[in-house]
Coordinates of all heavy atoms in Angstrom, one line a residue:
N1 N 34.4 -42.7 -98.0 CA 35.1 -41.5 -97.5 C 36.5 -41.9 -97.1 O 36.7 -42.6 -96.1 CB 34.3 -40.8 -96.4 CG 34.1 -41.6 -95.2 OD1 34.4 -42.8 -95.2 ND2 33.5 -41.1 -94.2
G2 N 37.5 -41.4 -97.8 CA 38.9 -41.8 -97.6 C 39.4 -41.1 -96.3 O 39.2 -39.9 -96.1
K3 N 40.1 -41.9 -95.6 CA 40.7 -41.4 -94.3 C 42.2 -41.7 -94.4 O 42.6 -42.8 -94.7 CB 40.1 -42.1 -93.1 CG 38.7 -41.6 -92.8 CD 38.3 -42.1 -91.4 CE 37.0 -41.6 -91.0 NZ 35.9 -42.4 -91.6
S4 N 43.0 -40.7 -94.0 CA 44.4 -40.9 -93.9 C 44.7 -41.7 -92.6 O 43.8 -41.9 -91.8 CB 45.1 -39.5 -93.8 OG 44.8 -38.9 -92.5
H5 N 45.9 -42.2 -92.6 CA 46.4 -43.0 -91.4 C 46.2 -42.1 -90.1 O 45.6 -42.6 -89.1 CB 47.8 -43.4 -91.6 CG 48.4 -44.1 -90.4 ND1 48.9 -43.5 -89.3 CD2 48.4 -45.4 -90.2 CE1 49.3 -44.4 -88.5 NE2 49.0 -45.6 -88.9
N6 N 46.6 -40.9 -90.1 CA 46.5 -40.1 -88.9 C 45.0 -39.8 -88.5 O 44.7 -39.8 -87.3 CB 47.3 -38.7 -89.1 CG 48.7 -39.0 -89.1 OD1 49.2 -40.0 -88.7 ND2 49.5 -38.0 -89.6
A7 N 44.2 -39.6 -89.5 CA 42.8 -39.3 -89.2 C 42.1 -40.5 -88.6 O 41.4 -40.5 -87.6 CB 42.0 -38.9 -90.5
A8 N 42.4 -41.7 -89.2 CA 41.8 -43.0 -88.6 C 42.4 -43.2 -87.3 O 41.7 -43.7 -86.3 CB 42.1 -44.1 -89.6
L9 N 43.7 -43.0 -87.1 CA 44.3 -43.2 -85.8 C 43.7 -42.4 -84.7 O 43.4 -42.8 -83.6 CB 45.8 -43.0 -85.9 CG 46.6 -43.1 -84.6 CD1 46.5 -44.5 -84.0 CD2 48.1 -42.7 -84.8
A10 N 43.5 -41.1 -85.0 CA 42.8 -40.2 -84.0 C 41.4 -40.7 -83.7 O 41.1 -40.7 -82.5 CB 42.8 -38.8 -84.6
Q11 N 40.7 -41.2 -84.7 CA 39.4 -41.7 -84.4 C 39.4 -42.9 -83.5 O 38.6 -43.0 -82.6 CB 38.6 -42.0 -85.7 CG 38.1 -40.7 -86.4 CD 37.3 -41.1 -87.6 OE1 37.7 -41.9 -88.5 NE2 36.1 -40.5 -87.7
I12 N 40.3 -43.8 -83.8 CA 40.4 -45.1 -83.0 C 40.8 -44.7 -81.6 O 40.3 -45.3 -80.7 CB 41.4 -46.0 -83.7 CG1 40.8 -46.6 -85.0 CG2 41.8 -47.2 -82.8 CD1 41.7 -47.3 -85.9
M13 N 41.8 -43.8 -81.4 CA 42.2 -43.4 -80.1 C 41.1 -42.8 -79.3 O 41.1 -42.8 -78.1 CB 43.4 -42.5 -80.2 CG 44.7 -43.2 -80.7 SD 46.1 -42.2 -80.8 CE 46.5 -41.9 -79.1
N14 N 40.1 -42.2 -80.0 CA 38.9 -41.7 -79.3 C 37.8 -42.7 -79.2 O 36.7 -42.3 -78.9 CB 38.4 -40.4 -80.1 CG 39.3 -39.2 -79.9 OD1 39.7 -39.0 -78.8 ND2 39.5 -38.4 -80.9
G15 N 38.1 -43.9 -79.4 CA 37.1 -45.0 -79.2 C 36.2 -45.3 -80.4 O 35.3 -46.1 -80.2
E16 N 36.5 -44.7 -81.5 CA 35.7 -45.0 -82.7 C 36.3 -46.2 -83.5 O 37.0 -46.0 -84.4 CB 35.6 -43.7 -83.6 CG 34.9 -42.6 -82.9 CD 35.0 -41.3 -83.8 OE1 34.8 -41.4 -85.0 OE2 35.2 -40.2 -83.2
N17 N 36.0 -47.4 -83.0 CA 36.6 -48.6 -83.6 C 36.1 -48.9 -85.0 O 36.6 -49.8 -85.6 CB 36.4 -49.7 -82.6 CG 37.2 -49.5 -81.3 OD1 38.2 -48.9 -81.3 ND2 36.6 -50.0 -80.3
S18 N 35.1 -48.2 -85.5 CA 34.7 -48.4 -86.8 C 35.5 -47.6 -87.8 O 35.2 -47.6 -89.1 CB 33.2 -48.1 -87.0 OG 33.0 -46.7 -86.7
A19 N 36.4 -46.8 -87.4 CA 37.3 -46.0 -88.2 C 38.0 -46.9 -89.2 O 38.4 -48.0 -88.8 CB 38.2 -45.1 -87.4
N20 N 38.3 -46.4 -90.4 CA 39.0 -47.2 -91.4 C 39.9 -46.4 -92.2 O 39.5 -45.3 -92.7 CB 37.9 -47.9 -92.3 CG 38.5 -49.0 -93.1 OD1 39.5 -49.6 -92.7 ND2 38.0 -49.2 -94.3
C21 N 41.2 -46.7 -92.2 CA 42.2 -46.0 -93.0 C 42.1 -46.6 -94.4 O 42.1 -47.8 -94.6 CB 43.6 -46.3 -92.3 SG 44.9 -45.5 -93.2
N22 N 42.1 -45.7 -95.4 CA 41.9 -46.1 -96.8 C 43.2 -46.0 -97.6 O 43.1 -46.2 -98.8 CB 40.8 -45.3 -97.4 CG 39.4 -45.6 -96.8 OD1 39.2 -46.7 -96.4 ND2 38.6 -44.6 -96.7
E23 N 44.3 -45.7 -97.0 CA 45.6 -45.7 -97.7 C 46.0 -47.1 -97.9 O 45.9 -47.9 -97.0 CB 46.6 -44.9 -96.9 CG 46.3 -43.4 -96.8 CD 47.2 -42.7 -95.9 OE1 48.1 -43.3 -95.3 OE2 47.0 -41.4 -95.7
N24 N 46.6 -47.4 -99.0 CA 47.1 -48.8 -99.3 C 48.5 -48.9 -98.8 O 49.4 -49.0 -99.6 CB 46.9 -49.1 -100.8 CG 47.2 -50.6 -101.0 OD1 47.1 -51.4 -100.1 ND2 47.7 -50.9 -102.2
T25 N 48.7 -48.9 -97.5 CA 50.0 -49.0 -96.9 C 50.0 -50.1 -95.8 O 48.9 -50.4 -95.2 CB 50.5 -47.7 -96.2 OG1 49.6 -47.3 -95.1 CG2 50.5 -46.5 -97.2
A26 N 51.1 -50.6 -95.5 CA 51.2 -51.6 -94.4 C 50.7 -51.0 -93.1 O 49.9 -51.6 -92.3 CB 52.6 -52.1 -94.2
A27 N 51.1 -49.8 -92.8 CA 50.6 -49.1 -91.5 C 49.1 -49.0 -91.5 O 48.5 -49.2 -90.4 CB 51.3 -47.7 -91.4
C28 N 48.5 -48.7 -92.6 CA 47.0 -48.5 -92.6 C 46.3 -49.9 -92.4 O 45.4 -50.0 -91.7 CB 46.5 -47.9 -93.9 SG 46.4 -46.1 -93.7
H29 N 46.9 -50.9 -93.1 CA 46.3 -52.2 -92.9 C 46.4 -52.7 -91.4 O 45.5 -53.3 -90.9 CB 46.9 -53.2 -93.9 CG 46.6 -53.0 -95.3 ND1 45.3 -52.9 -95.8 CD2 47.4 -52.7 -96.4 CE1 45.3 -52.7 -97.1 NE2 46.5 -52.6 -97.4
Y30 N 47.6 -52.4 -90.8 CA 47.8 -52.8 -89.4 C 46.8 -52.0 -88.5 O 46.2 -52.6 -87.6 CB 49.2 -52.5 -89.0 CG 49.7 -53.1 -87.7 CD1 50.1 -54.4 -87.7 CD2 49.6 -52.4 -86.5 CE1 50.5 -55.0 -86.5 CE2 50.0 -52.9 -85.4 CZ 50.4 -54.3 -85.3 OH 50.8 -54.8 -84.1
L31 N 46.6 -50.8 -88.8 CA 45.7 -49.9 -88.0 C 44.3 -50.5 -88.2 O 43.5 -50.6 -87.2 CB 45.8 -48.5 -88.5 CG 45.0 -47.5 -87.7 CD1 45.4 -47.5 -86.2 CD2 45.1 -46.1 -88.3
N32 N 43.9 -50.9 -89.4 CA 42.6 -51.4 -89.6 C 42.4 -52.8 -88.9 O 41.3 -53.1 -88.4 CB 42.3 -51.6 -91.1 CG 42.1 -50.3 -91.8 OD1 41.8 -49.3 -91.2 ND2 42.3 -50.3 -93.1
A33 N 43.5 -53.5 -88.8 CA 43.5 -54.8 -88.0 C 43.2 -54.5 -86.6 O 42.4 -55.2 -85.9 CB 44.8 -55.5 -88.2
I34 N 43.8 -53.5 -86.0 CA 43.6 -53.1 -84.6 C 42.1 -52.7 -84.4 O 41.5 -53.2 -83.5 CB 44.5 -51.9 -84.2 CG1 46.0 -52.5 -84.1 CG2 44.1 -51.3 -82.9 CD1 47.0 -51.4 -83.9
A35 N 41.6 -51.9 -85.3 CA 40.2 -51.4 -85.2 C 39.3 -52.6 -85.3 O 38.3 -52.7 -84.5 CB 39.9 -50.4 -86.3
S36 N 39.6 -53.6 -86.2 CA 38.7 -54.8 -86.3 C 38.8 -55.6 -85.1 O 37.8 -56.1 -84.6 CB 39.2 -55.6 -87.5 OG 38.9 -54.9 -88.7
A37 N 40.0 -55.8 -84.5 CA 40.2 -56.6 -83.3 C 39.4 -56.0 -82.1 O 38.8 -56.7 -81.4 CB 41.7 -56.7 -83.0
R38 N 39.5 -54.6 -82.0 CA 38.8 -54.0 -81.0 C 37.3 -54.1 -81.1 O 36.5 -54.1 -80.1 CB 39.1 -52.5 -81.0 CG 40.5 -52.1 -80.4 CD 40.6 -50.7 -80.3 NE 41.9 -50.3 -79.7 CZ 42.2 -49.1 -79.4 NH1 41.4 -48.1 -79.6 NH2 43.4 -48.8 -78.8
S39 N 36.8 -54.2 -82.3 CA 35.4 -54.4 -82.6 C 34.9 -55.9 -82.5 O 33.7 -56.2 -82.7 CB 35.0 -53.9 -84.0 OG 35.3 -52.5 -84.1
G40 N 35.9 -56.8 -82.3 CA 35.5 -58.2 -82.2 C 35.4 -58.9 -83.5 O 34.9 -60.0 -83.6
N41 N 35.8 -58.2 -84.6 CA 35.7 -58.8 -86.0 C 37.0 -59.5 -86.3 O 37.9 -58.9 -86.9 CB 35.3 -57.7 -87.0 CG 35.0 -58.3 -88.3 OD1 35.4 -59.5 -88.6 ND2 34.4 -57.5 -89.2
N42 N 37.2 -60.7 -85.8 CA 38.4 -61.4 -85.9 C 38.8 -61.7 -87.3 O 40.0 -61.6 -87.7 CB 38.4 -62.7 -85.1 CG 38.3 -62.4 -83.6 OD1 38.6 -61.3 -83.1 ND2 37.9 -63.4 -82.8
D43 N 37.8 -62.0 -88.2 CA 38.1 -62.3 -89.6 C 38.7 -61.1 -90.3 O 39.7 -61.2 -91.0 CB 36.9 -62.8 -90.3 CG 36.4 -64.2 -89.9 OD1 37.2 -64.9 -89.3 OD2 35.2 -64.5 -90.1
A44 N 38.1 -60.0 -90.1 CA 38.7 -58.7 -90.7 C 40.0 -58.4 -90.1 O 40.9 -57.9 -90.8 CB 37.7 -57.6 -90.5
A45 N 40.2 -58.6 -88.8 CA 41.5 -58.3 -88.2 C 42.6 -59.2 -88.8 O 43.6 -58.7 -89.1 CB 41.4 -58.6 -86.7
I46 N 42.3 -60.5 -89.0 CA 43.3 -61.4 -89.6 C 43.6 -61.0 -91.0 O 44.7 -60.9 -91.5 CB 42.8 -62.8 -89.5 CG1 42.7 -63.3 -88.1 CG2 43.7 -63.7 -90.4 CD1 44.0 -63.4 -87.3
S47 N 42.5 -60.6 -91.8 CA 42.6 -60.2 -93.2 C 43.5 -59.0 -93.3 O 44.4 -58.9 -94.1 CB 41.3 -59.9 -93.8 OG 41.4 -59.4 -95.1
N48 N 43.2 -58.0 -92.5 CA 44.0 -56.7 -92.5 C 45.5 -57.0 -92.0 O 46.4 -56.4 -92.6 CB 43.4 -55.6 -91.7 CG 42.2 -55.0 -92.5 OD1 42.4 -54.4 -93.5 ND2 41.0 -55.1 -91.9
L49 N 45.6 -57.8 -91.0 CA 47.0 -58.1 -90.5 C 47.8 -58.8 -91.6 O 49.0 -58.6 -91.8 CB 46.8 -58.9 -89.3 CG 48.1 -59.0 -88.4 CD1 48.6 -57.7 -88.0 CD2 47.7 -59.8 -87.1
T50 N 47.1 -59.7 -92.3 CA 47.8 -60.4 -93.4 C 48.3 -59.5 -94.5 O 49.4 -59.6 -94.9 CB 46.8 -61.5 -94.1 OG1 46.4 -62.4 -93.1 CG2 47.5 -62.2 -95.2
K51 N 47.5 -58.5 -94.8 CA 47.9 -57.5 -95.8 C 49.1 -56.7 -95.3 O 50.0 -56.4 -96.0 CB 46.7 -56.5 -96.1 CG 45.6 -57.2 -96.9 CD 44.4 -56.2 -97.0 CE 43.2 -56.9 -97.6 NZ 42.0 -56.0 -97.6
A52 N 49.0 -56.3 -94.0 CA 50.1 -55.5 -93.4 C 51.4 -56.3 -93.5 O 52.5 -55.8 -93.9 CB 49.8 -55.1 -92.0
I53 N 51.3 -57.5 -93.0 CA 52.6 -58.4 -93.0 C 53.1 -58.7 -94.4 O 54.3 -58.7 -94.6 CB 52.3 -59.7 -92.2 CG1 52.1 -59.3 -90.7 CG2 53.4 -60.7 -92.4 CD1 51.6 -60.4 -89.8
N54 N 52.2 -58.9 -95.3 CA 52.7 -59.1 -96.7 C 53.4 -57.9 -97.3 O 54.3 -58.0 -98.1 CB 51.5 -59.5 -97.6 CG 51.0 -60.9 -97.4 OD1 51.7 -61.7 -96.8 ND2 49.8 -61.2 -97.8
M55 N 53.0 -56.7 -96.8 CA 53.6 -55.5 -97.3 C 54.9 -55.1 -96.5 O 55.8 -54.5 -97.1 CB 52.7 -54.3 -97.3 CG 51.5 -54.5 -98.2 SD 50.3 -53.1 -98.1 CE 50.9 -52.0 -99.3
D56 N 54.9 -55.5 -95.3 CA 56.0 -55.2 -94.4 C 56.1 -56.3 -93.3 O 55.4 -56.3 -92.4 CB 55.8 -53.8 -93.7 CG 57.0 -53.4 -92.8 OD1 57.8 -54.2 -92.5 OD2 57.0 -52.2 -92.5
S57 N 57.1 -57.2 -93.5 CA 57.2 -58.3 -92.6 C 57.5 -58.0 -91.2 O 57.3 -58.8 -90.3 CB 58.2 -59.3 -93.2 OG 59.5 -58.7 -93.2
S58 N 57.9 -56.8 -90.9 CA 58.2 -56.4 -89.5 C 57.0 -56.4 -88.6 O 57.0 -56.5 -87.4 CB 58.9 -55.1 -89.4 OG 58.0 -54.0 -89.8
Y59 N 55.8 -56.3 -89.3 CA 54.6 -56.3 -88.5 C 54.3 -57.7 -87.9 O 53.5 -57.8 -87.0 CB 53.4 -55.8 -89.4 CG 53.4 -54.3 -89.5 CD1 53.6 -53.7 -90.7 CD2 53.1 -53.5 -88.4 CE1 53.6 -52.3 -90.8 CE2 53.1 -52.2 -88.5 CZ 53.4 -51.6 -89.7 OH 53.3 -50.2 -89.8
K60 N 54.9 -58.7 -88.4 CA 54.7 -60.1 -87.9 C 55.2 -60.1 -86.4 O 54.4 -60.6 -85.5 CB 55.5 -61.1 -88.7 CG 55.3 -62.5 -88.3 CD 56.1 -63.5 -89.1 CE 55.6 -63.6 -90.5 NZ 56.2 -64.8 -91.2
S61 N 56.4 -59.6 -86.1 CA 56.9 -59.6 -84.7 C 56.1 -58.6 -83.9 O 55.9 -58.8 -82.7 CB 58.4 -59.4 -84.7 OG 58.7 -58.2 -85.3
E62 N 55.7 -57.5 -84.5 CA 54.9 -56.5 -83.8 C 53.6 -57.1 -83.3 O 53.2 -56.9 -82.2 CB 54.7 -55.3 -84.7 CG 53.9 -54.2 -84.0 CD 54.7 -53.4 -83.0 OE1 55.9 -53.5 -82.9 OE2 54.0 -52.8 -82.1
A63 N 52.9 -57.8 -84.2 CA 51.6 -58.4 -83.9 C 51.7 -59.4 -82.7 O 50.8 -59.5 -81.9 CB 51.0 -59.1 -85.1
L64 N 52.8 -60.1 -82.6 CA 53.0 -61.1 -81.6 C 53.0 -60.4 -80.2 O 52.6 -61.1 -79.2 CB 54.3 -61.8 -81.8 CG 54.2 -63.0 -82.8 CD1 55.6 -63.5 -83.1 CD2 53.3 -64.1 -82.3
I65 N 53.5 -59.2 -80.1 CA 53.6 -58.6 -78.8 C 52.5 -57.5 -78.5 O 52.4 -57.0 -77.4 CB 55.0 -58.0 -78.5 CG1 55.3 -56.9 -79.6 CG2 56.1 -59.1 -78.5 CD1 56.6 -56.1 -79.3
D66 N 51.8 -57.2 -79.6 CA 50.8 -56.1 -79.5 C 49.6 -56.6 -78.7 O 48.9 -57.5 -79.1 CB 50.4 -55.7 -80.9 CG 49.6 -54.4 -80.9 OD1 48.9 -54.0 -79.9 OD2 49.7 -53.7 -82.0
L67 N 49.3 -55.9 -77.6 CA 48.2 -56.3 -76.8 C 46.8 -56.2 -77.5 O 45.8 -56.7 -77.0 CB 48.2 -55.6 -75.4 CG 49.4 -55.9 -74.5 CD1 49.3 -55.1 -73.3 CD2 49.4 -57.4 -74.2
E68 N 46.8 -55.4 -78.5 CA 45.5 -55.2 -79.3 C 45.1 -56.6 -79.9 O 43.9 -56.7 -80.1 CB 45.7 -54.2 -80.4 CG 46.0 -52.8 -80.0 CD 44.8 -52.1 -79.4 OE1 43.7 -52.6 -79.4 OE2 45.0 -50.9 -79.0
F69 N 46.0 -57.5 -80.0 CA 45.7 -58.8 -80.7 C 45.7 -59.9 -79.7 O 45.7 -61.1 -80.1 CB 46.7 -59.1 -81.8 CG 46.7 -58.0 -82.9 CD1 47.8 -57.4 -83.2 CD2 45.5 -57.7 -83.5 CE1 47.9 -56.4 -84.2 CE2 45.5 -56.7 -84.5 CZ 46.7 -56.0 -84.8
I70 N 45.6 -59.6 -78.4 CA 45.6 -60.7 -77.4 C 44.5 -61.7 -77.6 O 44.7 -62.9 -77.3 CB 45.6 -60.1 -75.9 CG1 46.1 -61.1 -74.9 CG2 44.3 -59.5 -75.6 CD1 46.5 -60.6 -73.6
N71 N 43.3 -61.3 -78.0 CA 42.2 -62.2 -78.2 C 42.3 -63.0 -79.5 O 41.6 -63.9 -79.7 CB 40.9 -61.4 -78.2 CG 40.6 -60.8 -76.8 OD1 41.0 -61.4 -75.8 ND2 39.9 -59.7 -76.8
L72 N 43.3 -62.7 -80.3 CA 43.5 -63.5 -81.5 C 44.6 -64.5 -81.4 O 44.7 -65.4 -82.2 CB 44.0 -62.5 -82.7 CG 43.1 -61.4 -83.1 CD1 43.7 -60.6 -84.2 CD2 41.7 -61.9 -83.4
R73 N 45.3 -64.5 -80.3 CA 46.5 -65.4 -80.1 C 46.2 -66.9 -80.1 O 47.1 -67.7 -80.4 CB 47.3 -65.0 -78.9 CG 47.9 -63.6 -79.0 CD 48.7 -63.2 -77.8 NE 49.3 -61.9 -78.0 CZ 49.8 -61.2 -77.0 NH1 49.8 -61.6 -75.8 NH2 50.3 -60.0 -77.3
A74 N 45.0 -67.2 -79.8 CA 44.6 -68.6 -79.8 C 44.0 -69.1 -81.1 O 43.7 -70.3 -81.3 CB 43.6 -68.9 -78.6
I75 N 43.8 -68.2 -82.0 CA 43.2 -68.5 -83.3 C 44.3 -69.0 -84.3 O 45.3 -68.4 -84.4 CB 42.5 -67.2 -83.9 CG1 41.3 -66.8 -83.0 CG2 42.0 -67.5 -85.3 CD1 40.7 -65.5 -83.4
E76 N 44.0 -70.2 -84.9 CA 44.9 -70.8 -85.7 C 45.5 -69.9 -86.9 O 46.7 -69.9 -87.2 CB 44.3 -72.1 -86.3 CG 45.3 -73.0 -87.1 CD 46.5 -73.5 -86.2 OE1 46.2 -73.8 -85.0 OE2 47.6 -73.5 -86.7
A77 N 44.6 -69.1 -87.5 CA 45.0 -68.2 -88.5 C 46.1 -67.2 -88.0 O 47.0 -66.9 -88.8 CB 43.8 -67.5 -89.2
F78 N 45.9 -66.7 -86.8 CA 46.8 -65.8 -86.3 C 48.2 -66.5 -86.0 O 49.2 -65.9 -86.3 CB 46.3 -65.1 -85.0 CG 47.2 -64.1 -84.4 CD1 47.2 -62.8 -84.8 CD2 48.0 -64.5 -83.3 CE1 48.1 -61.9 -84.2 CE2 48.9 -63.6 -82.7 CZ 48.9 -62.3 -83.2
I79 N 48.1 -67.7 -85.4 CA 49.3 -68.4 -85.0 C 50.1 -68.7 -86.3 O 51.3 -68.5 -86.3 CB 48.9 -69.7 -84.3 CG1 48.3 -69.4 -83.0 CG2 50.1 -70.6 -84.2 CD1 47.6 -70.6 -82.3
T80 N 49.4 -69.1 -87.4 CA 50.1 -69.4 -88.6 C 50.7 -68.2 -89.2 O 51.8 -68.2 -89.7 CB 49.1 -70.1 -89.6 OG1 48.6 -71.3 -89.0 CG2 49.8 -70.4 -90.9
L81 N 49.9 -67.1 -89.2 CA 50.4 -65.8 -89.8 C 51.6 -65.3 -89.1 O 52.5 -64.7 -89.8 CB 49.2 -64.8 -89.7 CG 49.5 -63.4 -90.3 CD1 49.8 -63.5 -91.8 CD2 48.3 -62.5 -90.1
T82 N 51.7 -65.5 -87.8 CA 52.8 -64.8 -87.1 C 54.0 -65.8 -86.8 O 54.9 -65.4 -86.0 CB 52.3 -64.2 -85.7 OG1 51.6 -65.3 -85.0 CG2 51.3 -63.1 -86.0
K83 N 54.0 -66.9 -87.4 CA 55.1 -67.9 -87.2 C 56.4 -67.4 -87.8 O 56.3 -66.8 -88.9 CB 54.7 -69.2 -87.8 CG 54.0 -70.1 -86.9 CD 53.8 -71.5 -87.5 CE 53.0 -72.3 -86.5 NZ 52.7 -73.6 -87.1

């Protein structure tokens, strides 16, 4: 079931961390990374964050300061991705 960025964002803001944005945009991949991080799925969070950064490099600096990713900051894949 395809979800727009706004629909997925609304669900995530309501605590539904299993929400998934199905648009192939950097913003959607970033949003999916947040949902994955909130769910404790670090591998999926890194995967989605990688897609977002590959599409829009400005998400690299955003991820460094985003508190949604605080639990990823010690993971080597996150450190490498955000260098």
